[in-house]
Amino acid sequence: GDESGMPLDREGRIVTIDCGGVVHKTFLKTLLRHPHTLLFEMAQPDGELYEDGAVFMDRDATCFAHILNFYRTGRLARPPSIPEDMWHIELVFFKIENPLYRIPTAEDIDEQQRQIGKPVNAGIRKSVWLLWEDPSSSEAAKWLSVFSIFVIVMGVAAFVTETHPTVREPQGPGWFGVSAVTIRVGFQRFEWAVVSWFSLELVIRFLVNIEKRHFFSRFANWIDIIAVVPFYIGLLLNPRVNAGSSSLVVRSLRLARVFRILGLIFKLGKYSHGVRVLMSTFRTCVMELSILSVLLMMAVIMISSGMYFCENPDLDNIESDFTSISRAMYFSMISVTTIGYGDMSPLTNCGEFVACMAGLSGIFVLGLPISIIGVKFQQRYDEMMREKKIIAERDRLKVIEKKISTLKGMKVLATTLLPLRLPSAGSALTPEETKTIEDKANSVFNTVDVNQKGEIELEDVGLAMKILGMEIEEEVLEVMMIIMDDDSSGSVDAQEFSGFVIKCVTGDLPTTQDLLLSKQSFRPPEHCQDNRRGRDKKKKATAGSPPLHF
């Protein structure tokens, strides 16, 4: 062992971490459980903890205690007293992926899509599946989704409009000189077109799906079926087609039309984030909804019974509006839910007392379960907004990768820095060429580092690259700066800058996969970001100082 009595073997060695004044001790092997994190790098042979056995970090002590437990137990939990944005910043510093802001990779998305029926092999079937199921897969899929939403909206609008008297009545005045009969014929043809479109969509999606059983197990697909099947049922039950149809058939036809409009409305809800949040809330609140239903049923039955017997003292001669307990349930329901239409009202003192109890009971019967459901809805809404932000970030990184790919083909930087280099020399650099690039990069670095701090920030990096003859868009530079900022200090030193210039010359630039795997590639919540357009250049992108050993 050493002078402190600690064993020198790597497996049993104990190291000390002073974070924010709170000292923690742990085994070195504990920090090796999560590769590519900051503490893992410090525990490597060339790291501070491996070399010195102790390190000081000026970070939040409460957050670090939970982060250290993550290495010990494998479970990452945010301290209740720490806001989500501050927790995210700490995880970024320690290079730990925040599960709440994890950006799915292309492999993750592909695996999820295969589970719902995406064809494995490339071909027409897979292309058609992506066209109808994944609006983000291509521009054509995006516009097809937009067109479907437009057809749904127009279909609902047509269904509502055709019930107007000017269209419904054969002798109606019509609109703008067009007779009611002509308008009705136009609505019928449009209805055929809408149903044909949705039928075509449903058939194509079923044919290209490889998981037929899973296709019918998805609620969204049943919504699509409900949107079209009632139309064909209506054709079979249409009295004008079936001679001698009874009034039951007419009522069934009207019921089919009701189901069709409900199917269109639910189909429109598939494209609404709010509706999806509401449905997700219902799925997670089954217990609360069951409690609400039982309490509401108990209150309605008790109040209905009380109203019936209070308003009818002589059950052989009933003269009140409450002719039965089932009839009184209507009054109880609208009273307990604090609506009260006033079409039924008690006339006796006993009945008035029961009505007062109905109004008061509604506060307790509905208030408590609804408050719990409201909290669950807010949680689902926050998750939805987080998912939207992750999707937007993934799309942003895809656009940036396309811009980065254009930089790989730029030879202007190599020509400027190495004018004697032949175009056929390839991407590999000789030691002399590398030394030349480093010297020129350090010279430009010193030029833009007017304060002689040894570090430059985003705008200075952009200016330095422009001096070298390679102008890079700020959005692209923001992401690439994350890649080149090895020590997560929020700024770039001379070594990091020269290494970045060499990568630009050789074309060794990050891909989308690199950006997704970068622990800082996801932007933190907007309220905890600096305003990147007009921010104070004195601030760091990530608060705190780099590790100091003692």
Side-chain angles (χ1 to χ4, degrees):
D2 59 6
E3 296 179 358
S4 61
M6 292 191 304
L8 292 178
D9 62 288
R10 186 174 184 180
E11 293 298 320
R13 186 177 174 188
I14 298 176
V15 295
T16 302
I17 304 175
D18 186 345
C19 185
V22 180
V23 178
H24 300 268
K25 291 181 180 291
T26 187
F27 290 105
L28 188 68
K29 62 181 180 181
T30 301
L31 306 179
L32 302 176
R33 295 177 179 174
H34 298 284
H36 309 299
T37 58
L38 181 62
L39 295 181
F40 175 86
E41 295 173 355
M42 290 183 177
Q44 296 302 304
D46 57 346
E48 291 89 342
L49 285 173
Y50 187 92
E51 298 294 336
D52 303 328
V55 70
F56 170 78
M57 290 183 288
D58 189 14
R59 308 299 300 184
D60 185 84
T62 303
C63 290
F64 181 76
H66 286 70
I67 289 174
L68 188 58
N69 282 334
F70 168 64
Y71 285 87
R72 292 166 174 164
T73 64
R75 181 175 179 270
L76 185 63
R78 176 176 64 88
S81 60
I82 301 298
E84 184 176 302
D85 55 345
M86 297 301 297
W87 174 244
H88 178 75
I89 291 175
E90 293 297 317
L91 293 181
V92 166
F93 178 84
F94 287 98
K95 299 182 180 181
I96 298 175
E97 185 179 59
N98 190 341
L100 297 180
Y101 294 111
R102 182 180 182 273
I103 304 178
T105 61
E107 289 75 13
D108 295 334
I109 298 175
D110 183 68
E111 180 61 28
Q112 294 174 2
Q113 291 178 342
R114 288 183 181 182
Q115 293 177 1
I116 61 176
K118 176 183 175 181
V120 178
N121 300 323
I124 297 178
R125 190 176 184 182
K126 184 176 182 179
S127 300
V128 174
W129 190 95
L130 291 172
L131 182 67
W132 289 96
E133 296 285 358
D134 186 6
S136 63
S137 61
S138 63
E139 284 294 322
K142 175 184 176 181
W143 286 109
L144 184 64
S145 175
V146 172
F147 180 74
S148 296
I149 296 175
F150 173 76
V151 173
I152 294 172
V153 173
M154 295 303 297
V156 174
F159 184 90
V160 174
T161 306
E162 65 181 352
T163 60
H164 195 275
T166 57
V167 180
R168 184 181 71 249
E169 299 175 0
Q171 304 301 326
W175 285 338
F176 304 104
V178 182
S179 65
V181 176
T182 304
I183 295 176
R184 292 183 64 183
V185 172
F187 275 120
Q188 290 175 358
R189 292 177 178 176
F190 180 76
E191 182 180 19
W192 270 98
V194 171
V195 174
S196 300
W197 171 259
F198 290 137
S199 301
L200 177 66
E201 174 190 355
L202 184 62
V203 171
I204 291 177
R205 290 176 54 244
F206 175 75
L207 292 178
V208 300
N209 195 293
I210 63 174
E211 296 288 344
K212 306 299 184 185
R213 183 179 300 177
H214 191 276
F215 182 86
F216 288 106
S217 65
R218 294 178 62 193
F219 179 72
N221 292 330
W222 280 103
I223 291 177
D224 295 339
I225 295 174
I226 294 175
V228 297
V229 169
F231 175 80
Y232 298 108
I233 295 177
L235 290 180
L236 298 175
L237 299 179
N238 195 322
R240 290 179 298 177
V241 178
N242 297 308
S245 299
S246 63
S247 59
L248 177 62
V249 175
V250 176
R251 288 195 296 270
S252 300
L253 173 63
R254 293 174 179 173
L255 184 62
R257 293 179 64 83
V258 171
F259 275 106
R260 184 165 62 84
I261 187 62
L262 290 178
L264 287 176
I265 294 174
F266 279 117
K267 189 175 179 67
L268 182 62
K270 289 200 316 179
Y271 300 93
S272 171
H273 293 287
V275 174
R276 291 205 295 268
V277 171
L278 187 61
M279 296 303 296
S280 175
T281 303
F282 287 155
R283 286 195 297 268
T284 57
C285 295
V286 175
M287 182 62 69
E288 290 80 2
L289 290 174
S290 62
I291 295 174
L292 176 62
S293 301
V294 171
L295 293 177
L296 184 61
M297 185 183 304
M298 292 173 58
V300 167
I301 292 176
M302 289 189 296
I303 293 171
S304 301
S305 302
M307 291 299 300
Y308 174 72
F309 289 108
C310 285
E311 291 298 305
N312 301 298
D314 185 4
L315 297 180
D316 295 329
N317 185 20
I318 298 178
E319 298 179 351
S320 68
D321 295 334
F322 304 89
T323 56
S324 65
I325 293 180
S326 59
R327 178 63 178 166
M329 284 184 178
Y330 163 74
F331 171 83
S332 302
M333 180 63 71
I334 62 175
S335 298
V336 171
T337 55
T338 66
I339 299 175
Y341 292 116
D343 53 342
M344 296 176 63
S345 58
L347 300 178
T348 63
N349 293 333
C350 177
E352 291 173 350
F353 175 78
V354 174
C356 291
M357 292 297 101
L360 293 175
S361 64
I363 299 176
F364 301 99
V365 171
L366 301 178
L368 296 178
I370 288 179
S371 62
I372 299 175
I373 295 174
V375 172
K376 292 289 185 68
F377 179 86
Q378 185 63 42
Q379 293 175 353
R380 299 287 86 77
Y381 179 79
D382 293 340
E383 291 178 2
M384 181 203 70
M385 296 304 296
R386 192 180 299 117
E387 290 175 0
K388 287 183 62 178
K389 186 178 295 186
I390 289 174
I391 294 173
E393 183 69 7
R394 186 177 67 244
D395 294 340
R396 184 181 74 93
L397 293 179
K398 287 182 179 179
V399 173
I400 290 177
E401 188 198 16
K402 292 181 180 179
K403 296 179 180 180
I404 291 176
S405 63
T406 61
L407 299 179
K408 294 181 180 180
M410 294 180 64
K411 303 297 183 182
V412 60
L413 189 60
T415 304
T416 303
L417 297 177
L418 302 172
L420 302 179
R421 180 180 173 83
L422 298 176
S424 59
S427 59
L429 298 176
T430 63
E432 293 77 11
E433 290 174 337
T434 303
K435 182 66 168 58
T436 301
I437 294 175
E438 291 178 348
D439 292 341
K440 292 184 178 181
N442 290 333
S443 175
V444 173
F445 181 90
N446 294 328
T447 301
V448 298
D449 185 18
V450 293
N451 297 326
Q452 301 299 317
K453 297 186 301 180
E455 293 181 337
I456 58 176
E457 299 188 7
L458 181 65
E459 291 185 2
D460 300 326
V461 174
L463 177 60
M465 295 302 298
K466 187 174 182 180
I467 294 174
L468 290 173
M470 187 177 184
E471 189 169 358
I472 304 176
E473 294 184 24
E474 183 178 358
E475 186 179 24
V476 178
L477 196 59
E478 285 179 2
V479 177
M480 297 182 71
M481 187 169 176
I482 293 174
I483 301 297
M484 73 174 88
D485 185 15
D486 296 330
D487 58 2
S488 303
S489 64
S491 57
V492 176
D493 57 27
Q495 182 179 358
E496 292 171 340
F497 178 72
S498 61
F500 172 68
V501 174
I502 293 175
K503 289 182 179 180
C504 290
V505 173
T506 59
D508 186 20
L509 297 176
T511 62
T512 301
Q513 189 71 12
D514 299 328
L515 301 178
L516 292 176
L517 294 178
S518 173
K519 301 305 179 184
Q520 302 183 66
S521 62
F522 187 85
R523 290 176 173 176
E526 294 179 359
H527 57 275
C528 69
Q529 292 189 75
D530 291 332
N531 186 338
R532 301 194 178 208
R533 304 298 177 186
R535 67 176 183 265
D536 182 2
K537 306 304 291 183
K538 299 295 184 180
K539 293 184 179 180
K540 301 290 187 181
T542 305
S545 304
L548 302 174
H549 39 142
F550 58 89

